[in-house]
Amino acid sequence: YRSWLQEWYGISYVGEIPQSAAQDIRRLSELPGAAFEDEFLTELSKHHLRIIKESEKAVVRVYHDELRREAQMTVTNQSRQVVQLQTWDCQWYDDCRQG
């Protein structure tokens, strides 16, 4: 995607971990075994759901067909992953919240 930003718009981008994500990583690192895994599954599901929401917007708004296809694949793939993560969380930890 960085190459597309550069090619299409002349933008060089280097990603950074947002402060809130760094705090989440620290918080998760302090949890023991099963508590870590339960919380990790929940947080990763939430992360994927945010990405799905943004990708759905992109599907209808982007100009480049390549990017539209990537956004649609992201929606499809991450939706599948959310179902899997939530299934595991429910089966393994009786944490059956949705998103």
Side-chain angles (χ1 to χ4, degrees):
Y1 307 121
R2 289 180 191 173
S3 63
W4 288 343
L5 277 173
Q6 183 63 46
E7 180 183 333
W8 297 338
Y9 306 107
I11 297 172
S12 294
Y13 175 77
V14 176
E16 297 178 11
I17 295 177
Q19 183 64 27
S20 61
Q23 290 171 345
D24 288 342
I25 292 167
R26 278 192 298 279
R27 182 178 55 78
L28 282 170
S29 71
E30 295 170 357
L31 295 173
F36 166 83
E37 198 168 275
D38 181 19
E39 190 63 19
F40 177 78
L41 290 166
T42 299
E43 290 302 316
L44 191 55
S45 292
K46 289 178 186 178
H47 169 76
H48 280 14
L49 289 167
R50 286 190 297 272
I51 298 301
I52 291 165
K53 186 176 182 179
E54 292 303 314
S55 295
E56 287 172 336
K57 290 179 197 175
V59 168
V60 296
R61 295 183 63 197
V62 300
Y63 172 78
H64 292 88
D65 289 334
E66 304 97 307
L67 187 53
R68 182 174 295 105
R69 282 190 297 274
E70 284 295 318
Q72 185 57 59
M73 282 192 330
T74 297
V75 169
T76 300
N77 293 335
Q78 295 221 353
S79 294
R80 240 181 274 147
Q81 290 174 1
V82 166
V83 169
Q84 183 62 71
L85 293 166
Q86 290 177 345
T87 298
W88 286 336
D89 206 15
C90 187
Q91 289 173 344
W92 298 342
Y93 301 105
D94 201 29
D95 186 350
C96 301
R97 322 172 250 185
Q98 298 295 309

